[in-house]
Amino acid sequence: MRGDDELHFVVDTVNVEASDAETIDEDFFDWDAEAEADAAALGETIDEERFAEARDCLQGGKPLFLVQRSHQHSASIPAALNHINAAHGASLNLGVVAPIPRMRPSGASGIPTFFRNTAVAPVQIADPECFARMDSYGTVLAEQREKPFAGPSTSTKWPYFNRALPSGWAADWVADIIQTQREQGATVLLTPGLWMDSADRAGSLKTLRDCVSWARDETRDYENLAVNLTIPYTWLTTERLRDSLFAELLDMDEDVFYVRVRWPLLAQPYGQLASADILDGYVELSSVCEENDKFLILPNTALTGWVALAWGANGFSTGIGSGERAFADTKVIKIKRTTPRPAATNRTFRRSLLHVVDVDTDSRLSALPGQSACDCDFCRAQTPGLWDKAKAGAHYLVKVAEAVAEASDHARGTRAGVRTLARSARDFRDSASAVVPLNGANDPKHLDLWLDRLK
């Protein structure tokens, strides 16, 4: 049954007379031209300073914690970032990611406004998300969601995203993508990030190579460029694909890589990746990049990106919504309109468990010996009897950043820090589950997989 019988849910001057003008001293116009030149030079100097600040964050030393701008509840992100910077600015670098085709070029919900409101983060990325074009991976995404990944209300405002390319990807199209990011105020520019089809290994690698070359030709000396890849997980789990990919990355002169991996459908919306094969691929990717002085950023990976810091990754991104935490397959759940809509399950991130649980389970865990309810600013601002998802999202960001900083500050290095926190979470799970059963979505199945790869 379709159409009206179903609801679908997925698991964004003064006028001058001519005669008077002739009498105006030409020196006035000379001065005006000089003023404009000075203003332009000042603007370029400010740009160079912003890019230099971002570049410092891409040198290693401190992990890069990126927050993806979410469609819902994004108004809480600036406050969360300010809190994180005040508490952990010495231990991590901050950045934000704005998804270009799912945002507007101006206005209160525009990218420049978002960047101004998150100026505490030196790394500001405007992701072109070209994988979502219908001639890239967009048709598959639309089939999974029964709607485009980037809706027409925003995507049509970006010419590069909808431009027809009958002769294939082109240098001037890539130049438009770079210029679009520049105009929006990004401090780290990305290559297009087209979908790399594992069935066309050679063609996908050639397209990647061409796009990187064209983007580099358009990038100014002081600007930062990151190689943007969007790949299915098979590039990490299939030996031939993995070897070809790593060889390509190592052969490039570029130093910064922004690698987004499409995961299979997760068992739970706010869960962590629980695939041994894919995690092994992340281990190898992170290790290879670390050994070859490549700066690796893993967008949309949530705590999987956090644990990858122990394997050699340099940064990752997460966000408030499940789509910002994982770039994974989705499915449409269909219920008849005559069927009551299921009540929403309120969830929160449990720091001591490194996992998201429902709020009732979280309350029961807080009552255990040695445990307590979270006292962060956002949890204390929750109204009893109500549940504010924006505050819960900000709490999540603050607590994940806290875990990043704590691991980074460990006396024996990040790997030991991550291992210590993961081991503590596993031990708490094992002891708590006898009193507070952790079943279904509340079960942090990822902890054992992590610890097997942190020995």
Side-chain angles (χ1 to χ4, degrees):
M1 186 178 297
R2 296 183 59 82
D4 295 337
D5 296 320
E6 294 177 342
L7 291 174
H8 295 183
F9 304 96
V10 176
V11 184
D12 119 224
T13 71
V14 177
N15 293 322
V16 180
E17 296 294 338
S19 58
D20 292 334
E22 292 174 357
T23 66
I24 297 177
D25 195 309
E26 291 183 359
D27 287 343
F28 175 83
F29 294 102
D30 292 338
W31 176 88
D32 193 49
E34 291 176 2
E36 289 182 0
D38 290 343
L42 177 60
E44 185 166 304
T45 298
I46 293 173
D47 280 346
E48 290 192 28
E49 291 175 351
R50 294 180 64 243
F51 278 98
E53 290 175 3
R55 188 176 306 112
D56 287 343
C57 298
L58 304 176
Q59 303 303 309
K62 294 194 294 185
L64 176 61
F65 179 68
L66 289 167
V67 176
Q68 293 267 349
R69 196 267 192 187
S70 52
H71 175 65
Q72 294 182 315
H73 313 304
S74 61
S76 64
I77 292 176
L81 286 172
N82 288 334
H83 180 102
I84 293 167
N85 184 59
H88 309 298
S91 304
L92 51 77
N93 290 316
L94 284 176
V96 291
V97 182
I100 295 181
R102 292 183 286 139
M103 291 185 67
R104 299 179 183 276
S106 61
S109 60
I111 295 175
T113 301
F114 175 66
F115 282 165
R116 283 196 299 272
N117 290 340
T118 57
V120 69
V123 173
Q124 298 191 318
I125 296 173
D127 192 334
E129 294 192 334
C130 290
F131 64 84
R133 282 178 53 115
M134 288 302 174
D135 52 3
S136 186
Y137 191 56
T139 53
V140 179
L141 295 173
E143 289 172 1
Q144 292 185 2
R145 300 163 52 87
E146 293 194 347
K147 61 181 180 179
F149 185 82
S153 65
T154 55
S155 65
T156 54
K157 299 181 181 299
W158 307 99
Y160 81 87
F161 191 77
N162 298 284
R163 175 180 164 184
L165 296 166
S167 300
W169 317 115
D172 63 332
W173 174 71
V174 174
D176 186 21
I177 293 170
I178 295 298
Q179 181 61 19
T180 298
Q181 297 173 68
R182 184 182 290 133
E183 290 173 350
Q184 293 302 304
T187 59
V188 176
L189 308 177
L190 299 182
T191 61
L194 291 161
W195 179 253
M196 295 180 62
D197 188 353
S198 55
D200 183 16
R201 176 174 57 97
S204 294
L205 292 172
K206 181 182 184 305
T207 297
L208 172 66
R209 194 160 49 245
D210 288 344
C211 286
V212 172
S213 177
W214 293 330
R216 174 50 67 193
D217 288 344
E218 294 298 322
T219 306
R220 298 163 184 166
D221 290 342
Y222 62 84
E223 292 177 327
N224 306 305
L225 181 67
V227 178
N228 182 13
L229 294 84
T230 306
I231 59 177
Y233 67 85
T234 48
W235 283 92
L236 296 183
T237 59
T238 305
E239 184 177 3
R240 184 185 182 196
L241 291 171
R242 187 174 61 244
D243 290 348
S244 296
L245 177 65
F246 292 176
E248 190 67 44
L249 300 188
L250 298 183
D251 193 50
M252 289 184 183
D253 292 332
E254 308 304 326
D255 297 324
V256 183
F257 293 85
Y258 184 89
V259 184
R260 177 189 284 108
V261 181
R262 185 70 170 177
W263 294 348
L265 182 68
L266 295 177
Q268 54 205 63
Y270 288 91
Q272 303 303 315
L273 181 66
S275 165
D277 289 344
I278 302 175
L279 287 173
D280 286 341
Y282 274 121
V283 171
E284 192 164 352
L285 171 64
S286 302
S287 299
V288 165
C289 286
E290 181 184 41
E291 291 168 4
N292 291 274
D293 297 322
K294 303 291 188 181
F295 192 98
L296 176 63
I297 303 170
L298 299 172
N300 304 106
T301 49
L303 291 184
T304 300
W306 171 76
V307 74
L309 297 174
W311 302 323
N314 302 96
F316 70 99
S317 82
T318 187
I320 292 177
S322 60
E324 287 74 52
R325 301 186 193 186
F327 182 60
D329 288 344
T330 60
K331 66 178 179 179
V332 175
I333 299 175
K334 303 175 182 180
I335 62 172
K336 295 181 179 180
R337 287 184 180 272
T338 55
T339 304
R341 183 172 180 175
T345 300
N346 295 324
R347 305 180 190 276
T348 188
F349 178 69
R350 183 78 196 180
R351 169 67 171 76
S352 59
L353 204 58
L354 294 175
H355 188 51
V356 172
V357 298
D358 63 69
V359 295
D360 178 61
T361 298
D362 183 66
S363 296
R364 295 172 65 191
L365 291 171
S366 296
L368 294 176
Q371 297 292 309
S372 63
C374 179
D375 64 350
C376 78
D377 292 347
F378 303 101
C379 287
R380 287 189 284 107
Q382 290 278 14
T383 302
L386 299 176
W387 189 250
D388 189 321
K389 291 185 177 181
K391 293 184 178 68
H395 153 81
Y396 163 79
L397 295 176
V398 165
K399 289 301 169 179
V400 173
E402 180 183 280
V404 175
E406 188 171 336
S408 175
D409 289 342
H410 195 279
R412 290 185 288 114
T414 300
R415 184 181 181 90
V418 169
R419 183 172 56 240
T420 298
L421 293 180
R423 188 177 290 155
S424 176
R426 181 199 57 190
D427 293 346
F428 174 61
R429 176 202 65 187
D430 293 347
S431 62
S433 57
V435 182
V436 182
L438 297 173
N439 303 316
N442 292 325
D443 183 7
K445 300 179 178 67
H446 54 280
L447 294 176
D448 294 318
L449 289 168
W450 287 0
L451 286 165
D452 285 343
R453 288 154 183 82
L454 289 169
K455 294 178 180 177

